[in-house]
Amino acid sequence: MKFAVSFFVILVSTISALLFMQFQVYSDQIDLDEHAFNYSQEIEIVYRGESLDIRHHFKNLPNDDVTIVWPSKAENPNCFIETEYSCSRLSEDLNTFNSGENRTQSLSYIIPLNGGLKSNHLMEDLFIKLKNGTVKFSTVHISTDSDIGGQWVTGLPLIGQQSLSLVNYSMFSGEGEVQDLYWRAGNLALQQVTNTVSVYAKDPTSTAFNEKLAQLKFLNDEHIAVVEGENNSKLQGERILFLPQITTKQIQQHVIFAQLNAMYDFVDTPRWIKEVVASYLTGSSLGGERATAIIQTLTNQMTDEQLKKWHEQLEALRGKEVTPSILDEALSTVFGIHTSYFSLNVNSNEIFPFLFNDKRDVYIDGEQQETIDVIFKDGLVLYSAQELLNELGYSATKGPRGYYVESETRAFRFPNEPGFYVFNQRRYNAISEPIVQVAGQYYIEETWLQRLFLVEIQKTEENINLLTTEIQ
């Protein structure tokens, strides 16, 4: 018994000493911005009965007022007196660390677990956050009674664990924040670990799997845990991923997308856009048919210098909102001319070809038109037909023998086969096509627009002005 307790004390002391120097490295990384700062944290968790008793130690705090954000389920929030200065900066209402020279403060609280510790359940919203603070380094200690066996997962690298006569102990430590906690009874165990990924599974992984895992490319080195199987809540953690099958391909894709969602604020973007971004950032082919086709098209359009610039544009968007139109602006910067390639493909069932756009405002008889697109293709200037013709007073529909455009006095049919068109029941030969389809959408060519629909076109640096020369 004395040996077990002594071994436990020596284990904790040794590992803590090894980590002390790492804490010192991060102590000098305080952000100079008055509203943002970096800090390190050490969290002690003890499971007792039907609750987690937590002691949360904050290190490298700035000499400014810091707002404390308690977990929503926290009970008995209080100071944890480790030294006489442990709570010297804590306000009376427990919601602020007041400005002060002491850079280390400690708090304690309880997270109740209704029904006690449950196997295969992801626990969220457990830890205190500091407003405007970024966690640079975390260490987590977890202790349970010795009769509670199982595997803890935090998303941080597992440093060590021991089963002693009175207590089971696990320690995790690494860069970044820890937000979730997971515990499973049974034979789940850490099977393989790299700088970026820890793999927890029931059975040992093969040598071939381990070799492939070590070669995988990711978006960053922030550690993440991959657990075999699903948890009861069907949720994914911030740094804990659950996969029904543990394969290197599944791990790479899911980890990269988890990292991608943490790095970028994607707003209403389809998955294929994320696949395109991830593929360029990693230099790997990720995603389905649509993403693969779009990547191939874009890559073929770019020189080596433009590819480098495109990668820089994607890197510059980290931490920012990403939408199809924002990616279009980044792509336009690369080419030096505007394109709506991503936006057009979001709105198209087919894969829209790579085209450049005329971004000037379009007016018809002095009224601005928001829905008319102007694109360049094969040396032609094309206007979106449906919207434009409707504004000119025509109905435009797709029919069995072509594209029909009609007003009260004029009727056109543009057949599916090339070489002619029909106007008011009379056939006319055509060397080029007045109406063309691009990714299933109809466009009218500029010179034919003027000739057939009696439109005069005036262009300035800012506008395209369409003037009707006859009442339609």
Side-chain angles (χ1 to χ4, degrees), residues 68 78-79 87-92 94 96-98 105 107:
I68 301 167
N78 212 332
C79 159
C87 304
S88 59
R89 295 175 55 178
L90 185 62
S91 63
E92 291 187 9
L94 307 180
T96 306
F97 289 133
N98 297 319
Q105 297 287 279
L107 301 173

Side-chain angles (χ1 to χ4, degrees), residues 198-234:
S198 291
V199 176
Y200 293 85
K202 295 181 293 183
D203 302 315
T205 53
S206 67
T207 301
F209 172 92
N210 297 340
E211 291 174 351
K212 287 183 179 179
L213 185 69
Q215 297 171 359
L216 294 182
K217 296 179 181 179
F218 299 101
L219 297 178
N220 58 50
D221 294 329
E222 185 171 274
H223 205 81
I224 196 165
V226 176
V227 179
E228 181 182 43
E230 294 182 339
N231 66 82
N232 293 334
S233 62
K234 308 296 184 183

Side-chain angles (χ1 to χ4, degrees), residues 94-115:
L94 307 180
N95 289 326
T96 306
F97 289 133
N98 297 319
S99 59
E101 295 295 331
N102 196 295
R103 301 178 69 188
T104 301
Q105 297 287 279
S106 298
L107 301 173
S108 67
Y109 56 99
I110 293 173
I111 298 290
L113 300 178
N114 186 20

Side-chain angles (χ1 to χ4, degrees), residues 103-143:
R103 301 178 69 188
T104 301
Q105 297 287 279
S106 298
L107 301 173
S108 67
Y109 56 99
I110 293 173
I111 298 290
L113 300 178
N114 186 20
L117 189 61
K118 298 176 182 177
S119 179
N120 199 31
H121 182 72
L122 182 69
M123 293 171 276
E124 302 175 290
D125 189 26
L126 300 178
F127 307 118
I128 297 170
K129 298 180 184 294
L130 301 182
K131 188 176 180 180
N132 296 323
T134 299
V135 180
K136 300 300 291 184
F137 198 90
S138 297
T139 298
V140 178
H141 310 267
I142 306 176
S143 300

Side-chain angles (χ1 to χ4, degrees), residues 278-289:
S279 295
Y280 277 110
L281 290 176
T282 60
S284 304
S285 180
L286 301 170
E289 215 173 282

Side-chain angles (χ1 to χ4, degrees), residues 147-195:
D147 58 345
I148 300 177
Q151 180 65 56
W152 288 97
V153 182
T154 67
L156 298 172
L158 176 63
I159 302 302
Q161 54 189 8
Q162 290 291 326
S163 296
L164 306 176
S165 58
L166 296 178
V167 65
N168 290 330
Y169 168 76
S170 300
M171 182 178 183
F172 303 83
S173 191
E175 296 182 28
E177 186 176 15
V178 56
Q179 300 189 43
D180 310 313
L181 199 59
Y182 173 78
W183 178 78
R184 188 192 293 181
N187 59 350
L188 184 74
L190 176 64
Q191 302 294 354
Q192 185 64 17
V193 61
T194 70
N195 290 335

